[in-house]
Amino acid sequence: MKKIFGYVLGLVAALFAAGAIATTANADGSDADAASGSSAGSEMVAPAMGSSEAGGAAVSSSAESSSIAKPAKKPAKKPAKKEKVLAASKKMRGRLHYRKDAREILFQKGKKGAEVALFNRKGKEVKKFRVAKNGRFEIKLSKKQAKKLAEGGKYFRFDVAQKGYKAYQIRYYIYK
């Protein structure tokens, strides 16, 4: 019974000592860093069962390391807004038929600030531009661009990227 009572007293004394050490460690951060560093491993020597001092050293180092102030949490980032899908009725489209090697392309339902890229059938980019104002607009191509656009198939595609909306692709057929 005396042995058990001795262990309990040793444990209580160790906890009080650990509380005092933790309080002083929080007051002076440099001491806490030094105590929780490589020297903590040397304090963890196997304590003798009857000794309250050795048990106090082992418990105090573990209590010290758990009571060290954790770095402040960074504020959470706002979740990215999900891009909406543009309704088919509002998507940009060609206004009239595009004839092969024509140097002017007519569009409708354009939105100001939308980025449009023209690609030929082989996937090569022919021209990139930004829509200047809402509604109808036209794009003028050079002779080389017009030839490159018609190369490789019966249609070309244009990709449209608008702010807040998912990018979409439209096929524009080439008439002879």
Side-chain angles (χ1 to χ4, degrees), residues 95-159:
R95 191 165 14 143
L96 297 173
H97 295 308
Y98 174 76
R99 299 279 175 200
K100 186 175 183 180
D101 296 331
R103 294 182 56 195
E104 200 171 75
I105 306 174
L106 305 171
F107 290 99
Q108 63 186 4
K109 298 189 179 186
K111 293 291 178 190
K112 184 178 180 177
E115 292 180 7
V116 181
L118 299 172
F119 294 93
N120 67 8
R121 185 73 172 91
K122 294 180 179 178
K124 293 180 182 174
E125 185 177 303
V126 176
K127 188 167 185 166
K128 204 172 202 175
F129 62 94
R130 185 170 289 201
V131 179
K133 61 181 184 174
N134 292 343
R136 295 179 171 187
F137 65 96
E138 59 190 47
I139 298 173
K140 304 220 182 214
L141 302 172
S142 68
K143 285 182 182 179
K144 280 186 179 181
Q145 288 174 332
K147 260 195 187 314
K148 192 176 179 182
L149 193 64
E151 168 180 301
K154 297 183 177 187
Y155 65 89
F156 65 90
R157 79 169 208 264
F158 58 93
D159 296 356

Side-chain angles (χ1 to χ4, degrees), residues 79-92:
K81 287 187 178 180
K82 222 176 190 182
E83 292 180 332
K84 295 180 267 183
V85 176
L86 194 63
S89 62
K90 294 186 177 186
K91 288 183 178 180
M92 189 170 23

Side-chain angles (χ1 to χ4, degrees), residues 73-81:
K73 289 185 180 178
K74 293 180 183 177
K77 290 182 181 179
K78 292 182 181 177
K81 287 187 178 180

Side-chain angles (χ1 to χ4, degrees), residues 5 10 23 33 44 67 91 115 130 147 152:
F5 190 65
T23 306
D33 290 339
M44 296 295 277
S67 68
K91 288 183 178 180
E115 292 180 7
R130 185 170 289 201
K147 260 195 187 314

Side-chain angles (χ1 to χ4, degrees), residues 63-75:
E64 228 178 274
S65 63
S66 66
S67 68
I68 294 175
K70 294 180 181 174
K73 289 185 180 178
K74 293 180 183 177

